């Protein structure tokens, strides 16, 4: 008959991964033509690493399945013309702390090393690209783990300090950014990846313009080079805060009532669905300095007869906006309607009368 034997083995601390155990049977009597090696068998055992990686954002542990952390886009930069801080925005970074602990006891273990890879995801559900399509260069990202920090470049960056506090600064570009964290135990053995961290960079509570008393550039000409149908690398760029939605409707109604035989107003641009930088040049950078928070609308001036322009400006001012004819005489001439003055006295002068819009 077959005789079975039971054995136990213990691996040295720090050993993990695929290990091979060799078993040898050495009978008391061996025929001369039988070799000893015929009685050896190998068994492979996958030894699980007893450690796991953990991550905290602003003191909250990232859940086992990953966590999403809301962060408004960073404040606007100051330029030579205006101070333009983002409504509700912040220059406060998100604190990211890394560590490794024993899976059973929960005790922290020193000597682990970490690798961090920021992944700017596109349209894959449930993540959002923030309304941006195919752009030049990597999406802005910076996680400051060293003196210089590191930016999003698709590479894996190493951080070897236990419990390293990293500062994530939300960029001026909206969209989901997922941070992948992997690492090694003190013996250099790999540890299972930490749950992913998703930074959802978004201006909250934006919604599409109604278009009830006006129309849109891309509705009239969907194949225009400045529209998705014409290859434009942005989508859903007619979004505003709720108060501006009502103000624009009132402007359209008043203009149609005053000039019933003129074409209705045409909106060229507002803000992206999640706000943030509206980089219409597909470069993750201005020239658009505004249009980031749902308080700016561009209206086509080419379809507004010259005799109607003064009255249109008056209508805008009476409905809480500040109109400015921009790029006058060029193919891109338009009215920029400001519904927020960004703390700038210059924008306030765009309405010469007593009407004062939101500050």
């Amino acid at each position: 008959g077959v005789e079975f034997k039971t054995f136990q083995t213990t691996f040295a601390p720090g050993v993990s991964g695929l290990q091979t155990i060799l078993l040898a049977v050495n009978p008391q009597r061996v025929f001369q033509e039988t070799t000893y090696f015929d009685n050896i068998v190998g068994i492979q055992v996958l030894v699980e690493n007893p450690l796991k990686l953990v991550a905290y954002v602003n003191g909250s542990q990232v859940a086992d399945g990953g966590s999403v952390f809301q962060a408004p886009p960073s404040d606007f930069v100051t330029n030579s013309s205006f101070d333009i801080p983002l409504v509700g925005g912040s220059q406060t970074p998100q604190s990211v702390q890394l560590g490794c602990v024993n899976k059973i006891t929960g005790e922290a273990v020193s000597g682990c090393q970490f690798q961090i890879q920021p992944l700017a995801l596109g349209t894959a559900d449930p993540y959002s690209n923030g309304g941006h399509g195919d752009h030049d260069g990597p999406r802005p990202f910076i996680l400051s783990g060293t003196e210089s920090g590191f930016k999003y470049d698709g590479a894996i960056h190493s951080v070897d300090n236990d419990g390293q506090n990293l500062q994530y600064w939300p960029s001026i570009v909206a969209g989901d950014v997922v941070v992948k964290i992997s690492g090694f135990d003190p013996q250099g053995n790999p540890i299972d990846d930490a749950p992913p961290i998703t930074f959802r960079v978004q201006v909250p509570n934006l919604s599409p313009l109604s278009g009830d008393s006006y129309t849109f550039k891309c509705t009239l000409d969907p194949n225009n080079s400045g529209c998705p149908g014409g290859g434009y690398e942005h989508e859903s760029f007619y979004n505003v805060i709720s108060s501006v939605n009502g103000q624009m409707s009132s402007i359209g109604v008043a203009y149609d009532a005053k000039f019933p035989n003129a074409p209705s107003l045409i909106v060229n641009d507002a803000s992206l669905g999640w706000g943030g930088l509206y980089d219409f040049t597909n470069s993750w950078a201005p020239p658009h300095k505004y249009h980031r928070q749902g308080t700016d609308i561009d209206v086509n001036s080419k379809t507004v007869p010259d005799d109607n322009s003064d009255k249109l400006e008056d209508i805008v001012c009476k409905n809480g906006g500040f109109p400015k004819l921009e790029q006058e005489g060029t193919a891109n001439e338009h009215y920029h309607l400001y519904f927020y003055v960004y703390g700038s006295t210059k924008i306030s002068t765009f309405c010469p009368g007593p009407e004062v819009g939101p500050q």
Side-chain angles (χ1 to χ4, degrees):
V2 178
E3 183 179 358
F4 292 95
K5 296 291 185 180
T6 301
F7 71 93
Q8 293 181 336
T9 186
T10 301
F11 293 97
V15 172
S16 65
L18 194 62
Q19 306 295 324
T20 300
I21 302 174
L22 295 178
L23 303 177
V25 178
N26 187 9
Q28 294 179 352
R29 301 177 188 178
V30 180
F31 294 106
Q32 187 173 4
E33 63 270 17
T34 303
T35 65
Y36 177 76
F37 293 102
D38 289 336
N39 299 315
I40 297 177
V41 63
I43 300 175
Q44 288 190 317
V45 178
L46 183 61
V47 181
E48 182 180 1
N49 198 311
L51 306 182
K52 69 174 182 178
L53 297 178
V54 293
Y56 296 83
V57 176
N58 298 330
S60 298
Q61 184 171 350
V62 179
D64 288 342
S67 298
V68 177
F69 297 91
Q70 298 285 342
S74 292
D75 290 354
F76 293 164
V77 296
T78 300
N79 61 69
S80 57
S81 300
F82 309 112
D83 251 358
I84 44 178
L86 177 67
V87 175
S90 173
Q91 291 285 4
T92 303
Q94 309 284 309
S95 174
V96 180
Q97 189 171 23
L98 309 177
C100 60
V101 299
N102 186 289
K103 293 178 182 178
I104 299 175
T105 65
E107 294 180 357
V109 177
S110 62
C112 293
Q113 295 186 336
F114 307 93
Q115 291 185 330
I116 302 171
Q117 185 177 21
L119 307 173
L121 299 191
T123 57
D125 185 49
Y127 304 104
S128 171
N129 61 5
H132 300 273
D134 187 18
H135 284 16
D136 297 329
R139 177 186 294 262
F141 175 94
I142 186 165
L143 187 65
S144 172
T146 63
E147 183 178 349
S148 60
F150 52 84
K151 297 182 178 181
Y152 171 73
D153 53 12
I156 298 175
H157 302 269
S158 294
V159 178
D160 58 7
N161 293 10
D162 284 315
Q164 173 91 51
N165 278 311
L166 307 171
Q167 303 298 312
Y168 167 66
W169 296 88
S171 79
I172 59 176
V173 178
D176 279 347
V177 174
V178 178
V179 179
K180 176 184 176 182
I181 301 171
S182 55
F184 303 89
D185 65 18
Q187 288 73 39
N189 300 305
I191 308 175
D192 292 342
D193 292 349
I197 302 172
T198 299
F199 292 107
R200 181 153 294 167
V201 183
Q202 176 185 19
V203 176
N205 304 320
L206 298 186
S207 59
L209 281 163
S210 66
D212 52 0
S213 59
Y214 48 90
T215 189
F216 302 102
K217 170 185 67 178
C218 293
T219 300
L220 295 175
D221 184 11
N223 294 320
N224 185 292
S225 60
C227 300
Y232 192 50
E233 294 296 342
H234 290 90
E235 57 188 30
S236 184
F237 41 82
Y238 295 130
N239 300 278
V240 294
I241 60 176
S242 59
S243 59
V244 172
N245 214 334
Q247 288 168 292
M248 189 62 212
S249 292
S250 298
I251 290 169
V253 168
Y255 182 82
D256 285 345
K258 182 66 178 178
F259 305 107
N261 297 321
S264 294
L265 298 176
I266 300 174
V267 171
N268 289 348
D269 285 311
S271 294
L272 296 173
W274 281 15
L277 176 68
Y278 181 6
D279 58 332
F280 65 88
T281 58
N282 306 327
S283 60
W284 307 117
H288 254 172
K289 295 186 287 289
Y290 301 95
H291 294 273
R292 305 190 190 190
Q293 58 191 36
T295 58
D296 302 88
I297 296 176
D298 286 348
V299 171
N300 191 326
S301 59
K302 299 288 190 178
T303 58
V304 177
D306 291 342
D307 293 342
N308 299 358
S309 59
D310 287 345
K311 187 59 182 177
L312 170 60
E313 294 178 9
D314 180 59
I315 291 172
V316 172
C317 291
K318 288 182 176 178
N319 284 277
F322 296 87
K324 179 71 167 67
L325 186 64
E326 297 183 344
Q327 302 186 38
E328 187 173 359
T330 70
N332 196 35
E333 178 185 294
H334 62 275
Y335 280 105
H336 186 141
L337 310 187
Y338 296 84
F339 293 92
Y340 182 76
V341 299
Y342 300 95
S344 168
T345 56
K346 184 174 182 179
I347 295 177
S348 300
T349 65
F350 298 160
C351 283
E355 297 85 3
V356 177
Q359 301 297 305

